[in-house]
Amino acid sequence: MDTVTPPILKGFSSKVQALTLHADGVKLLDQVALPNEVRYLTIRTAGEMANAIVTMLVRGAPAIGIAGAYGTVLSAREAFASDLCLEDFRKTVLADVEALSQTRPTAVNLFWALDEMKKILGEPVESAAQLLDLLTEKARQIHQEDWDACHRMGDFGAALVPQGAGIITHCNAGALATGGYGTALGVIRSAFANDASIRVYADETRPRLQGARLTTWELLEDGIPVTLISDNMSGSLMRAGKIDMVVVGADRITANGDTANKIGTYNLALIAHAHGVPFYVAAPLSTIDRSMRSGDEIPIEERDATEISTMNGELICAQGVQFYNPAFDVTPAKYISGIITEKGIARPDYLKSLAQLFEA
Ligand code: MRU
């Protein structure tokens, strides 16, 4: 039985790593504490992992998928330590997989990764130890494949970046949000490696400030200069001709190319469209949900009102006001210039081009 996973992935090339599997649990970089404190937590049970996903200690679609897979391994370790018979081992782990699936509804990567783990749970084996080994191997593979996919997306996407381009990104679609390297920030990392004169603008991304807190931190960790803007500055920058492209990540892309991503992505896409600025989405194929025909079908998570009613624990609005706090919005495919995947760049018509990428 393999209980020790090397913490460093093959070919690691960013200083930033959101989560790694170890013999004593999953080492998680606390994304609520960043950037003021760089703190690592050890997650030891599936229940702790579910809580880490809900409270956004770990966040970002691919990273949530990996967290779900590692959470399943933690569940299997607990069940194995309890000396359960094979049937009870399977039942216990399946119940934890179900609990992990109830954490955040929008990012399809979570459900994709948990489905992959469930397939392993259904394998005909002779012992719980064998299943634990297979689950561990699968979770490591999911992590490594995401890392590989991000690097390939980076290379495809970098070819789209004009010399010295001004680029806006929204939220955090970086190493922190993936198995390492990032989707949108993977494109930026690869582009920067070719041309250090690109100019990166991170918008703050109200209400959780992933752009301000996380994107600026991780880019600076890797030595990539970045300028922080507030969410309402992108129009004025585009009007001033300072922006050549937008690149964002995705939580779920439907068969027709409609894309759910962090709230505010749609606004940015409309502003880019109005200024003729290309708007790209970078996402692995595991983010594409071909079971849904359009963005209208995507479940949008609504989060606690305190995310918008308070700042640093202080109330920032009148008492008694009502709240609406959707965590994601849907950008219709017609505003998306291209979807950068690990197999190439899909262009409209997405129904056709995404299907071709799956078959390639
Ligand atoms: O609520 P979050 O921080 O999990 O939202 C993250 C995003 O919206 C990212 O842009 C998306 O998951 C892509 S991450 C590569």
Side-chain angles (χ1 to χ4, degrees):
M1 183 180 41
D2 175 9
T3 51
V4 183
T5 299
I8 304 298
L9 290 166
K10 175 167 70 75
F12 184 69
S13 69
S14 165
K15 277 191 200 161
V16 179
Q17 188 67 47
L19 72 174
T20 42
L21 181 65
H22 300 260
D24 62 343
V26 174
K27 187 176 161 195
L28 207 71
L29 177 51
D30 179 343
Q31 296 196 35
V32 175
L34 282 175
N36 294 328
E37 204 186 329
V38 180
R39 178 169 67 192
Y40 290 90
L41 309 168
T42 301
I43 303 295
R44 293 195 165 82
T45 67
E48 283 174 18
M49 185 61 91
N51 186 51
I53 296 172
V54 170
T55 56
M56 295 174 67
L57 295 169
V58 58
R59 33 67 49 204
I64 293 173
I66 296 161
Y70 283 162
T72 309
V73 173
L74 297 179
S75 165
R77 285 180 182 175
E78 281 177 276
F80 183 74
S82 309
D83 230 3
L84 300 176
C85 70
L86 185 55
E87 200 190 327
D88 287 348
F89 176 94
R90 277 200 173 98
K91 274 193 203 150
T92 306
V93 178
L94 264 179
D96 281 339
V97 167
E98 176 55 27
L100 284 161
S101 78
Q102 298 299 315
T103 48
R104 297 192 72 189
T106 304
V108 74
N109 310 61
L110 174 65
F111 306 99
W112 172 84
L114 293 176
D115 276 350
E116 293 291 301
M117 299 305 277
K118 273 201 272 190
K119 281 184 212 156
I120 301 293
L121 266 178
E123 291 272 317
V125 291
E126 277 163 19
S127 68
Q130 242 178 308
L131 262 190
L132 173 55
D133 274 352
L134 291 176
L135 288 167
T136 307
E137 197 183 311
K138 187 67 194 179
R140 289 171 61 178
Q141 184 192 337
I142 287 172
H143 192 164
Q144 182 69 52
E145 283 180 2
D146 184 72
W147 188 93
D148 292 341
C150 283
H151 279 76
R152 283 196 292 275
M153 272 177 261
D155 290 345
F156 281 121
L160 299 169
V161 180
Q163 178 81 21
I167 309 172
I168 292 188
T169 188
H170 183 60
C171 192
N172 172 267
L176 288 169
T178 61
Y181 207 65
T183 57
L185 294 193
V187 171
I188 285 170
R189 280 191 168 89
S190 294
F192 183 78
N194 297 337
D195 170 17
S197 73
I198 63 167
R199 291 161 291 111
V200 183
Y201 295 87
D203 68 19
E204 57 181 352
T205 317
R206 280 278 292 153
R208 296 285 300 220
L209 303 179
Q210 289 93 330
R213 295 189 303 103
L214 306 177
T215 293
T216 62
W217 180 80
E218 77 158 76
L219 289 179
L220 292 183
E221 280 293 293
D222 281 348
I224 302 175
V226 52
T227 302
L228 177 64
I229 58 170
S230 68
D231 291 335
N232 47 8
M233 291 175 186
S234 52
S236 124
L237 271 177
M238 287 190 206
R239 189 156 178 266
K242 294 196 170 155
I243 303 299
D244 302 286
M245 68 186 279
V246 177
V247 60
V248 298
D251 284 81
R252 192 184 299 236
I253 300 172
T254 54
N256 69 345
D258 288 352
T259 295
N261 191 49
K262 179 53 52 194
I263 192 77
T265 303
Y266 179 34
N267 301 41
L268 197 53
L270 289 175
I271 295 169
H273 183 74
H275 290 88
V277 170
F279 182 94
Y280 292 103
V281 172
L285 294 179
S286 57
T287 303
I288 297 165
D289 183 352
R290 294 202 294 164
S291 76
M292 291 186 177
R293 278 168 304 170
S294 86
D296 297 341
E297 295 172 58
I298 300 176
I300 300 292
E301 176 184 11
E302 284 192 35
R303 293 187 62 89
D304 198 84
T306 51
E307 289 188 347
I308 49 175
S309 64
T310 60
M311 222 177 244
N312 297 328
E314 296 275 328
L315 196 67
I316 57 159
C317 56
Q319 295 270 13
V321 70
Q322 292 175 12
F323 297 99
Y324 174 52
N325 184 23
F328 301 96
D329 59 25
V330 174
T331 299
K334 67 180 172 190
Y335 298 117
I336 299 171
S337 313
I339 299 177
I340 304 160
T341 76
E342 68 272 37
K343 285 206 186 169
I345 301 168
R347 300 277 188 181
D349 157 4
Y350 291 113
L351 197 57
K352 217 161 120 189
S353 60
L354 288 175
Q356 277 166 353
L357 287 181
F358 272 94
E359 279 148 28

